[in-house]
Amino acid sequence: MIASKGIRHIIDTGFAFQQAKVLLSALEFDLFTILSDKKMTGEEIREKLNLHPRGIWDFLDCLLCLGFLNREGDGKDSFYSNTKESRLYLDKNSEEYVGGILELANSRLYRNWEYLSEALKTGKPQNETLYQGKTYYETIYSDPKLTEKFMNAMAGASYQNYCLLARRFNFSNYNTLCDIGGATGLLSICVAKEHKHIKCKSFDLPVVEDIAKKKIKNNGLEDRIETIAGDFFIDTFPKADIISMGMILHNWDLETKMKLIRSAYHAIPDDGAFIVIELMIDDERRKICSGFLQSLNMLIEFGQGFDFTAEDLKNWCNEVGFKRYEIINLDGPFNAVISYKN
């Protein structure tokens, strides 16, 4: 007989989508941004969000139980407010807002995951390509507003990891860095702010360059960070002491991963470094559930893309010619694997 705790875990996992949707709906309503650093009654929140009376108390108190809201008092005269974490990470006015990636989860990933079973049967993407004939990235990059929204979502999800990398890796022996697939220039911005001697380059598609330039200018780093427009599948990587890739490799099949690793190897000097930041699956493939979930998301999105372990990455880098490695723990399951030629 299964213990009651085991039964609870089974049932809670099967219904985890309900908790997710409560949080995603709160973000859709901008609830955490409206609250910001204020306190509001449930009725004030209901009127502000134009919600029906039936669900408002269950909705707010569920967010309280999940740890996303505070409440002072009991009953309908009580006041709700953001927790410290909600104010920091879920209020759009915060520099550390990570809700963009959750907005993306709500607007499209939640729908796409309905077709996981089909993806597992066919090995084929279950997204826009089914009915539009275009890949996900082709759809995004055809619309400037959608492009910027997507880039900002990815930046929000990566901000903490890039800041931690900038603090924990020893940049003192290097003078230049080129971030491949640099998007908004966030990794370069984090490194440049932390290390005044480093000159950075952010390399990405032409459609992204203006977004990066705007972010770099807003941080006053135009003289320290250069944007370079190009396609990392076609163009030679710019030369630099350090080549970095943040959340890039997991998008692609093994052949493409190897091509990008080789390009990085040839772009750095003999004493250079190649930094890969990813949500890594643990080497024994037993513990990091989020790594498997992201890898399954790559199946749904792209078919052939997949996540990997640090040991997998080391083996691929060995094939290319890298000799030694360092692993830096970042936020939760995220790690930076640094590969050295010598």
Side-chain angles (χ1 to χ4, degrees), residues 158 162 179-181 187 244-249 275-278:
S158 300
Y162 293 168
D179 188 33
I180 303 300
L187 190 149
S244 60
M245 291 183 191
M247 303 302 292
I248 297 295
L249 288 179
I275 300 178
V276 172
I277 300 165
E278 288 281 358

Side-chain angles (χ1 to χ4, degrees), residues 233-337:
F233 292 132
I234 299 171
D235 300 313
T236 302
F237 287 7
K239 301 289 185 181
D241 297 336
I242 298 171
I243 293 291
S244 60
M245 291 183 191
M247 303 302 292
I248 297 295
L249 288 179
H250 72 277
N251 289 290
W252 314 107
D253 60 19
L254 182 55
E255 181 180 355
T256 305
K257 285 176 169 64
M258 293 302 299
K259 179 179 180 180
L260 294 174
I261 294 169
R262 288 190 188 95
S263 294
Y265 182 85
H266 293 302
I268 60 175
D270 289 342
D271 58 352
F274 173 41
I275 300 178
V276 172
I277 300 165
E278 288 281 358
L279 197 170
M280 299 281 180
I281 296 172
D282 59 289
D283 288 340
E284 294 182 353
R285 294 179 62 88
R286 290 178 179 270
K287 301 174 184 177
I288 310 300
C289 184
S290 53
F292 302 123
L293 292 173
Q294 181 174 266
S295 196
L296 288 170
N297 192 60
M298 292 302 98
L299 166 62
I300 292 170
E301 288 286 20
F302 305 114
Q304 296 302 310
F306 65 93
D307 282 69
F308 47 87
T309 69
E311 194 62 29
D312 290 331
L313 180 58
K314 291 177 186 178
N315 290 335
W316 301 333
C317 288
N318 281 340
E319 288 185 39
V320 171
F322 287 100
K323 297 294 192 298
R324 60 186 180 91
Y325 306 93
E326 175 185 0
I327 297 178
I328 296 176
N329 296 324
L330 301 175
D331 184 28
F334 290 88
N335 290 289
V337 176

